Amino acid sequence: MSKKLKIRKSVIELQRDYDNGNKKELENLMRAWKGIKELPAEDENSFFKLGGFHGEPFRGAGWGSSAYWGGYCNHGNVLFPTWHRVYLLKLEEALQSIKGCEDVMLPYWDETDEESLKKGIPTCLTDEFFELDGKQIPNPLRSFVFPKNIVDNVQGDDNLYSKPLGYETVRYPLSGLVGSDEAKAATLAHNSQFPNYAKNVEILNDNVLNWLNSQIVVEGKVIPTNVNQKYKDCLNAPNFTVFSNTTSAAEWNANLEEGKVPVVSLESPHNSIHLAVGGCDLPTYDRSPIQGANGDMGENDTAGLDPIFYFHHCNVDRVFWLWQKKHGFTDHLEIFPEYPGTNTVDNQGPTPGMPPNSWLDLETPLNPFKKKDGKTYNSLDCINIEKQLGQTYSVGSLEELPTSKSSALEESSKVIKVSRINKAPIRGSFMISAYAIIDGKKEHLGTEAVLSRWNSQYCANCQTHLEVKAFFKLPITEQTARKGLAVPLENSVEIEIHGRENMLGQNNNGGLLKGNAKQQVNFHMEIV
């Protein structure tokens, strides 16, 4: 008889059971998280040790070299899904190492579940306190207090990612930049505007809901422009290479046949949730944006040290498994050789232990994760989570979605291509947003979130891989654009690039610059 699969449930399921009196699973999850956070910093199962593998504190070879980005995580390349799959496994094994928590599984935050679409982040991930064993304790899933300081050793970062002993991670609308006296003063001034924790959770959820649910109406049809739709669209990606990461998807979309809709990679909605939780408003016009929010989830360097990261990535991995089942790739994956997104220097640069300018494949080591035999994991070890890892997911949202069929509006629509964006002068993560004038009103067509370093100018790899691209469906026709306006289609479209604190670039025909002079960003736009 085959071994029974362990099931990762939705954290919403655990929360619902808890509220109905079945408290054991959520209590043990809290107990396990409390346990790994209290382990000595250098313990192999400590949250500080595991959280630090993603970015900060730049362990491993290359931590101070401009040729390397710093952390071990893979972003912008084909190892993005499998590296994070093993990362979750290691975090889960650490949770199970805590006494009495041997059966704990890491739940997923089902971001496209109806409850999340209505309420935002599950309350057990944001509540300030939790009752465990008859005592009121700080909620282990809400934040993390550093047991020691970490130092940003990357040249040119001005210590922006450095954090002192006792630092506690923060989320939108707060800022967590405390690495220099100037940053510390700015953060103190910013955070003083948000003294009420409960109100801050409301603001955070409002922002997350905006990212998850944005939509417009065109010719009487509702057109989703949201992260919920991006998750659905990524399930239609035709192959693993373009499904796996934004770099490969951008190359695919740059060569789209006329009339074809852009492919969406799994990494794209993943990025959006990072910025929604970490510190970027979706740039729509229904309220004033909160500038200066710099939560830890908004930067790859610090995201792995916020507990919500793992519940988010557990959902990302679940969507990866859904894509595998839908397309018949549960037992094998295929990577296009030498395609953009298949080299260690693509996007972020090589991780520790990886030579610069080397090709990635399914046998590439997923550093620093070791199997029980001492060998390093590779992607071939984790393709089938059920057969190889002995686990699966409970039934959640996006199950059994039909293959997407283009509407008449989509078939007649065009694609906005935004290219030649140089990320070097852009400080931190940013957003590329597209708009169109529809019936005289400026409507938001979509936003591409870009996770980026605060300073790319000192990254040797970044200097040859600076271009960022984005692609948006344009769900209007020439006739719609001209309705009451008498303007050509291209003049009805506008692109905006938003950084953490201001507008960095805006145009409707190729390059009107606004915002901070040090961060002015040019780009090219075309409609095809």
Side-chain angles (χ1 to χ4, degrees):
M1 180 180 284
S2 60
K3 193 174 180 180
K4 187 176 180 181
L5 293 174
K6 295 181 178 180
I7 300 175
R8 287 177 175 168
K9 297 181 180 179
S10 164
V11 73
I12 297 171
E13 294 178 65
L14 271 61
Q15 179 75 61
R16 191 178 295 126
D17 287 345
Y18 181 88
D19 293 341
N20 290 331
N22 302 316
K23 298 186 174 184
K24 183 178 178 181
E25 279 195 85
L26 186 57
E27 285 181 342
N28 279 347
L29 179 71
M30 294 290 187
R31 196 185 320 279
W33 271 94
K34 179 177 182 289
I36 65 171
K37 289 166 70 174
E38 292 175 348
L39 289 173
E42 294 308 314
D43 190 296
E44 292 300 316
N45 287 320
S46 78
F47 181 61
F48 182 75
K49 181 86 168 181
L50 289 163
F53 285 149
H54 193 262
E56 286 279 15
F58 300 118
R59 289 188 174 87
W63 61 265
S65 168
S66 64
Y68 293 78
W69 95 268
Y72 284 101
C73 74
N74 283 270
H75 285 269
N77 69 47
V78 289
L79 300 185
F80 167 75
T82 51
W83 187 91
H84 286 85
R85 174 166 284 178
V86 178
Y87 194 22
L88 296 176
L89 180 68
K90 287 298 174 182
L91 187 280
E92 196 167 56
E93 289 175 354
L95 294 173
Q96 294 164 355
S97 74
I98 302 302
K99 186 177 180 180
C101 301
E102 293 80 7
D103 294 328
V104 164
M105 298 295 290
L106 180 66
Y108 59 94
W109 167 24
D110 193 343
E111 295 151 0
T112 51
D113 177 84
E114 284 302 316
E115 190 160 333
S116 290
L117 296 177
K118 290 177 181 176
K119 298 179 181 178
I121 301 172
T123 56
C124 62
L125 299 178
T126 59
D127 285 340
E128 195 166 5
F129 300 100
F130 186 83
E131 185 176 316
L132 186 64
D133 299 328
K135 295 180 181 178
Q136 199 78 341
I137 64 168
N139 179 5
L141 311 184
R142 179 180 71 87
S143 62
F144 177 53
V145 177
F146 286 21
K148 59 188 292 187
N149 69 303
I150 57 176
V151 179
D152 181 357
N153 288 295
V154 174
Q155 183 182 11
D157 271 350
D158 302 322
N159 295 317
L160 271 171
Y161 294 121
S162 294
K163 311 279 187 182
L165 168 70
Y167 170 81
E168 184 173 10
T169 58
V170 298
R171 300 169 185 165
Y172 184 90
L174 300 179
S175 177
L177 295 182
V178 293
S180 66
D181 290 342
E182 183 182 0
K184 202 178 300 180
T187 290
L188 184 64
H190 176 85
N191 290 351
S192 67
Q193 303 171 68
F194 306 96
N196 186 310
Y197 181 75
K199 180 62 178 176
N200 291 350
V201 173
E202 287 182 26
I203 296 171
L204 169 62
N205 278 323
D206 284 346
N207 193 46
V208 169
L209 287 170
N210 197 21
W211 279 86
L212 286 173
N213 294 300
S214 64
Q215 62 183 39
I216 61 175
V217 177
V218 179
E219 298 177 1
K221 297 180 184 291
V222 174
I223 306 295
T225 60
N226 52 53
V227 178
N228 181 22
Q229 187 62 44
K230 279 193 172 187
Y231 271 122
K232 292 177 181 177
D233 289 345
C234 80
L235 289 170
N236 292 317
N239 57 71
F240 175 72
T241 302
V242 301
F243 168 79
S244 64
N245 74 98
T246 52
T247 306
S248 299
E251 175 69 12
W252 184 274
N253 290 332
N255 296 284
L256 273 182
E257 296 178 24
E258 188 174 349
K260 297 290 186 181
V261 296
V263 71
V264 175
S265 73
L266 175 66
E267 194 177 15
S268 177
H270 150 271
N271 287 351
S272 296
I273 294 295
H274 268 278
L275 292 200
V277 174
C280 281
D281 302 70
L282 191 66
T284 50
Y285 291 90
D286 56 350
R287 58 187 168 79
S288 299
I290 296 174
Q291 297 179 343
N294 293 292
D296 293 287
M297 269 286 281
E299 305 290 340
N300 276 337
D301 297 78
T302 55
L305 293 160
D306 183 335
I308 200 173
F309 171 97
Y310 301 89
F311 298 84
H312 165 48
H313 268 277
C314 198
N315 189 58
V316 171
D317 186 67
R318 182 182 70 91
V319 177
F320 175 24
W321 183 237
L322 290 178
W323 180 88
Q324 289 180 263
K325 290 192 291 184
K326 179 176 181 177
H327 295 271
F329 286 107
T330 55
D331 293 302
H332 74 289
L333 297 172
E334 296 174 354
I335 292 176
F336 295 170
E338 301 187 11
Y339 199 77
T342 65
N343 195 284
T344 57
V345 299
D346 282 334
N347 191 267
Q348 67 179 20
T351 64
M354 293 298 299
N357 197 27
S358 59
W359 296 106
L360 306 173
D361 57 33
L362 296 174
E363 295 183 4
T364 300
L366 301 177
N367 293 316
F369 307 123
K370 303 288 186 184
K371 296 181 287 186
K372 287 184 174 62
D373 63 6
K375 295 179 181 177
T376 303
Y377 273 96
N378 63 33
S379 299
L380 293 173
D381 297 315
C382 63
I383 291 174
N384 191 311
I385 62 171
E386 295 185 352
K387 294 178 182 177
Q388 293 175 287
L389 305 184
Q391 57 188 215
T392 193
Y393 288 96
S394 66
V395 176
S397 65
L398 307 180
E399 297 271 352
E400 305 300 330
L401 278 178
T403 301
S404 176
K405 293 183 179 179
S406 299
S407 66
L409 189 61
E410 278 188 327
E411 289 170 357
S412 63
S413 67
K414 292 180 176 292
V415 175
I416 304 167
K417 292 187 176 183
V418 185
S419 59
R420 304 178 197 169
I421 300 172
N422 182 340
K423 67 183 178 184
I426 303 177
R427 288 166 58 80
S429 300
F430 60 98
M431 298 172 291
I432 308 161
S433 297
Y435 302 85
I437 305 300
I438 302 174
D439 292 335
K441 182 181 177 183
K442 183 176 179 179
E443 298 279 14
H444 174 241
L445 300 181
T447 290
E448 189 66 29
V450 181
L451 288 173
S452 182
R453 293 196 58 80
W454 271 93
N455 196 330
S456 297
Q457 296 186 53
Y458 291 89
C459 170
N461 166 69
C462 296
Q463 293 308 301
T464 54
H465 296 82
L466 286 167
E467 185 182 8
V468 176
K469 301 174 183 177
F471 303 83
F472 304 93
K473 287 183 283 189
L474 179 58
I476 61 172
T477 61
E478 190 80 38
Q479 183 180 9
T480 303
R482 287 181 177 276
K483 196 181 296 181
L485 296 172
V487 295
L489 185 61
E490 59 268 22
N491 286 353
S492 72
V493 173
E494 185 171 293
I495 303 299
E496 294 181 0
I497 300 177
H498 290 259
R500 285 305 185 80
E501 298 178 345
N502 52 22
M503 180 99 72
L504 305 176
Q506 179 186 36
N507 80 338
N508 60 358
N509 202 18
L512 174 63
L513 301 177
K514 293 185 178 182
N516 188 327
K518 293 181 181 179
Q519 289 189 262
Q520 290 183 343
V521 178
N522 285 301
F523 54 88
H524 176 74
M525 179 195 79
E526 60 179 325
I527 299 173
V528 296

